[in-house]
Each structure stands twice: as C-alpha cells, then as structure tokens.
Amino acid sequence: MTMLKRVPIFLASFILLNSYLALAFNANIGHRSVVSSVSKSAIGMSSTAAAPNSEQKSHLYVPSERDEYYQGNIAQYLLDLHNEGATLNFCGGMMFQLVLSDKLQTHLKSVAADSSSEGKQKQPIIHPASQSLMSRTPDYKKSSFADNIFSFHGRELRKIPKANGGMGFVLQLSYADPSATLGEVSSSSVAGKGADAAWNGSPVDPQGWSKEEIATYDGWRSDQFRQWRKCSMYEDEGYSTFGQEFGNEAFGLNHRFFLHLDNQNKMWLSAEDGCEGTPADGSSIMKKLGGMLFGM
C-alpha cells in the first residue's frame, strides 16, 4: 500500500483509540491511575525534564543494569528517575512523569551520599515480589502513615500541560513527617474513613500533604468516594505554589505509595489501592501510533 492509502485506515483507528484514551485519562473519578505532584524543575521547566534517552539511560528501566549501576542505592535511583524526567507506565500505556518534591529530594540526596550503617538504614525499601500489594507488607495498617522508607506520601495529578509521556499525568512523591507515630483510632483521634490506625504526623513539606489530606486520607477506598482536589483547594490548604508549578487546571488525589519487585525483577511504584507503574523507556503509545501514521 502507498502512504495515502494507509492513512485513512490508521487515522480512523487512531481517532477511535485517542477518543477512548481521552475519556479514560481525563475522568475526574472512577478510573484508576496513579500520579502525584511536581516541582518546578521537572515539568518541562528545565533541560533535565526531557524523557530519558532509551539507549543511554537503560539502567533506569532494565533490572539487571539497574542493580549493577545502583548497588542498592535506591535513594539515588529515585533521584535519577526524577532528574531524567522519567515516566512510569501504568495500566499498559498510561504514562505518568515521576516528580519528587523539593524537600524529598533534599532528604534523598542526604541518604544517597551517606554510606554509613545508619545512612543505609534510611534507604528506601523495595519490597519483594511476594509483597506486591501494600496490604501484604509487614505491619500494614489503614492509615496516613508514611516514613520515606517503607512508604511515601504522594499524589496523582492530571491536566499537567508539559508532563512527559504526552498525557498530562504526573505522579508526585513528597516528604512525610519522620517523627510521627501510629496509635489506635479513638473518638479523639484524626483518621480517614475505614482507618484502623491513627497517624499523628504534621505537614512538614510545603509541597506535600496538607493537614486536611493527612486527616481525611482513605486511599484503601475507591476513588469514586474520595476527595479530589482542584488547584484552588490545594492553594487554600497551604500549597501556595501549586498553580504556578502545575497550572490552574490541574487537579489530583493523594495516595500512599511503596516500591516492590515482580517475578522479572522489575521495580513497581504502587499505590495503596493496587494501581501501579514501572519505569518506561520514554516512548508512549501515542508517540508510537503517531510514528505509524505519519512515518515519523
């Protein structure tokens, strides 16, 4: 076939698929994806925000190269994913750019540079394949607890104009209060619906969870019943630079996240409700379809 004969066929398929993806990707509630918020240095705002070169940065997503390159320094691995503007492939094609808050970056840089036994104890943990759900991890409780080691605070954010992956999605991880403790749920404690433990952490990261997000977190429940936040709500609750960083149309939902391996030794960043993504090589499904259609 000539290109002119092929275009109508590909175009029809492309339009149908694009329409389906648009509905799925931009729904406010109901469809699970996972993302979180972003700092200025990540969302197309600096030269380091370009998607990683799939040949030169293969240690970011090839398990054997990752293990050899980082030698257990998971803090540095997360920093490199952020610095390279890497995307996480959720649900077989939903691309979320990973972004770390400024305070979490500072913390991870300190951990990454500390080779002492104490420093190694602060390294983020990648759980084994047998713990592919947060509910399977040791001492799991339904709470807002995070310690920047076993679990993280984060958000899925949508409608981010310059997010890598071409779908407007960002998954942000932020810094959680390391001095907080877990306690029993009582009439005087603050905990989300269905919680079986109360976490007394404070909002210590200007780009992280607000006191309202901490108090009402219920990420084990369906997104349909949870509190989504628009730009104005984030800013009213204390994230004053949210619109500047992500745009005034951005909105999102907070989640707890953890890292785990699969049976092929791939690393997954998983939300408490089970939706998860693995580092991608920088090519989105829409980019591939565009190349087929237009010979790019």
Side-chain angles (χ1 to χ4, degrees):
M1 290 185 181
T2 65
M3 187 61 190
L4 289 176
K5 291 180 180 180
R6 289 162 54 200
V7 165
I9 298 174
F10 280 113
L11 183 59
S13 300
F14 187 80
I15 291 173
L16 287 173
L17 180 59
N18 191 42
S19 298
Y20 170 78
L21 290 173
L23 289 172
F25 296 160
N26 292 311
N28 284 3
I29 57 176
H31 193 290
R32 261 292 341 138
S33 57
V34 184
V35 179
S36 299
S37 45
V38 181
S39 60
K40 297 178 184 178
S41 62
I43 303 305
M45 296 183 183
S46 77
S47 59
T48 61
N53 182 296
S54 59
E55 295 181 357
Q56 298 178 354
K57 305 296 181 181
S58 56
H59 60 275
L60 295 178
Y61 58 87
V62 176
S64 59
E65 296 184 27
R66 176 201 67 215
D67 292 347
E68 181 179 359
Y69 188 90
Y70 290 103
Q71 297 291 313
N73 194 338
I74 307 306
Q76 188 61 55
Y77 181 39
L78 293 176
L79 287 167
D80 287 352
L81 287 170
H82 164 88
N83 290 335
E84 295 298 334
T87 55
L88 301 175
N89 186 343
F90 281 79
C91 304
M94 300 173 68
M95 298 298 178
F96 290 91
Q97 181 178 344
L98 177 65
V99 176
L100 310 179
S101 73
D102 294 342
K103 192 173 183 69
L104 182 58
Q105 287 181 66
T106 299
H107 166 72
L108 291 176
K109 287 176 183 177
S110 175
V111 173
D114 189 349
S115 59
S116 69
S117 58
E118 182 179 352
K120 290 180 179 179
Q121 292 177 0
K122 296 179 181 179
Q123 280 282 347
I125 297 297
I126 302 183
H127 292 75
S130 60
Q131 298 172 12
S132 58
L133 295 173
M134 186 177 287
S135 59
R136 296 177 183 171
T137 60
D139 303 318
Y140 168 77
K141 295 288 186 181
K142 294 178 181 178
S143 72
S144 55
F145 166 83
D147 62 358
N148 316 301
I149 298 174
F150 291 96
S151 59
F152 294 87
H153 284 168
R155 300 185 185 97
E156 64 170 290
L157 298 177
R158 308 189 187 191
K159 288 192 176 181
I160 313 298
K162 295 183 179 180
N164 289 338
M167 296 179 177
F169 294 157
V170 161
L171 194 154
Q172 180 208 37
L173 298 181
S174 57
Y175 185 73
D177 184 355
S179 65
T181 59
L182 272 176
E184 294 183 359
V185 177
S186 66
S187 58
S188 61
S189 60
V190 178
K193 293 181 179 179
D196 54 20
W199 186 69
N200 62 1
S202 300
V204 295
D205 185 342
Q207 296 169 306
W209 284 13
S210 64
K211 64 179 182 180
E212 290 84 2
E213 288 175 287
I214 293 172
T216 61
Y217 176 70
D218 54 354
W220 45 88
R221 303 174 73 219
S222 169
D223 289 359
Q224 298 182 51
F225 306 109
R226 300 192 58 217
Q227 176 65 65
W228 291 75
R229 285 170 164 78
K230 296 182 179 181
C231 176
S232 57
M233 191 171 185
Y234 280 121
E235 294 186 343
D236 288 344
E237 291 180 355
Y239 195 164
S240 60
T241 59
F242 182 86
Q244 179 182 349
E245 293 174 18
F246 303 109
N248 294 329
E249 298 300 314
F251 64 96
L253 183 66
N254 63 325
H255 299 276
R256 290 198 298 171
F257 293 94
F258 79 112
L259 304 170
H260 74 84
L261 299 175
D262 64 13
N263 291 328
Q264 297 180 327
N265 204 33
K266 290 183 179 180
M267 187 208 75
W268 293 79
L269 180 62
S270 180
E272 185 161 8
D273 62 6
C275 192
E276 57 186 7
T278 190
D281 64 3
S283 299
S284 72
I285 186 173
M286 300 307 290
K287 180 178 180 180
K288 291 177 181 178
L289 286 173
M292 292 170 61
L293 177 61
F294 300 109
M296 297 167 59

